[in-house]
Amino acid sequence: MSTINSASTLYYNSTPVRVVSIDGRPWFIAADVFKCLGVVNTTTAVKSLRHDEVRLTEVLAQRPMQALSEKGLRKKLMRSTKPEAHALLDWALHEAIPAHREAATTEEQAKRDTVQRLAARVAELEQRLSTLAVLAKGVPHPIQAALRTQ
């Protein structure tokens, strides 16, 4: 099973096509691609692809699905006899992949910004704890003070 870094849903002629980022590369959910072509049986459609062109992946904790690498997508669409396959390939190469990469880059930057904000907050809280520890050194603990008075 593959680890997905990011996912986006793009639309080809109003048909949703999910694109996931695995190890920094775009992978297209095969069922969505073949739906655009009117192909129903995804399992049969991907049988001719090599292991580096198709892989099983989970999208948002759903059941495992076949995903096509960019190379696998090109191979399937270039070999297809369906006229819409070449238009789908043009869309994927010129619109979908750049849009997915931009979304993935934006998402990664947002994650980095969040990590930086959290690190700054942790540093601030550590500084406050240090200050409190210094201030508390000379002050007896309330329980210790109560035991001394007994």
Side-chain angles (χ1 to χ4, degrees):
M1 206 65 63
S2 305
T3 303
I4 295 176
N5 305 112
S6 67
S8 56
T9 301
L10 306 169
Y11 292 87
Y12 175 75
N13 292 339
S14 69
T15 302
V17 178
R18 290 166 289 181
V19 184
V20 297
S21 191
I22 301 172
D23 300 327
R25 299 181 187 274
W27 288 73
F28 292 78
I29 300 303
D32 299 345
V33 171
F34 294 123
K35 184 177 183 180
C36 292
L37 300 175
V39 175
V40 179
N41 193 336
T42 303
T43 304
T44 303
V46 299
K47 278 192 177 183
S48 64
L49 295 175
R50 295 186 348 220
H51 69 83
D52 62 330
E53 298 168 335
V54 64
R55 67 171 28 162
L56 203 56
T57 188
E58 281 186 17
V59 179
L60 301 174
Q62 295 177 355
R63 64 181 172 74
M65 306 177 102
Q66 298 286 347
L68 304 172
S69 67
E70 187 176 340
K71 182 179 175 184
L73 178 75
R74 285 176 191 257
K75 183 187 256 184
K76 288 308 289 184
L77 295 179
M78 292 295 289
R79 290 181 179 176
S80 176
T81 58
K82 295 187 176 258
E84 59 270 24
H86 294 284
L88 179 58
L89 180 59
D90 284 344
W91 171 81
L93 297 178
H94 301 293
E95 292 180 42
I97 292 173
H100 177 72
R101 285 191 176 131
E102 183 178 325
T105 301
T106 302
E107 186 177 313
E108 285 301 313
Q109 183 60 46
K111 286 179 184 175
R112 281 193 294 276
D113 291 347
T114 300
V115 167
Q116 287 176 345
R117 280 194 310 276
L118 289 172
R121 182 69 175 143
V122 166
E124 177 188 334
L125 292 173
E126 285 175 340
Q127 180 63 40
R128 282 185 180 180
L129 282 172
S130 285
T131 303
L132 289 173
V134 168
L135 293 173
K137 278 194 177 180
V139 178
H141 192 276
I143 294 175
Q144 290 173 339
L147 291 174
R148 284 190 199 125
T149 57
Q150 290 179 354

